[in-house]
Amino acid sequence: MTGFDWPALMRAGIRGLGLRPREFWALTPAELRLMLGDAAPAPLRRARLDELLAAYPDQAKGRDDGRD
């Protein structure tokens, strides 16, 4: 079985950190990991950066002046 151990994470966040349920559920997994003292997120590698650049280019294709 894979995935999150939600009961353990909720205990850590709500009991351990004193978060309110609304605060707990508003956190991203990375924020919760940081608050629990887990290591910093993995660095962004070149392959992932290339994927993001392809998915979210700075300019729309076919335009070079940046105007609509």
Side-chain angles (χ1 to χ4, degrees), residues 42-66:
L44 181 66
R45 303 278 185 223
R46 183 63 201 205
R48 180 65 179 138
L49 177 59
D50 289 339
E51 290 173 10
L52 291 170
L53 289 170
Y56 305 100
D58 288 337
Q59 294 181 354
K61 291 181 181 180
R63 282 198 222 146
D64 60 330
D65 63 358

Side-chain angles (χ1 to χ4, degrees), residues 29-43:
E31 291 168 331
L32 183 58
R33 285 181 59 193
L34 184 64
M35 292 178 76
L36 292 172
D38 202 357

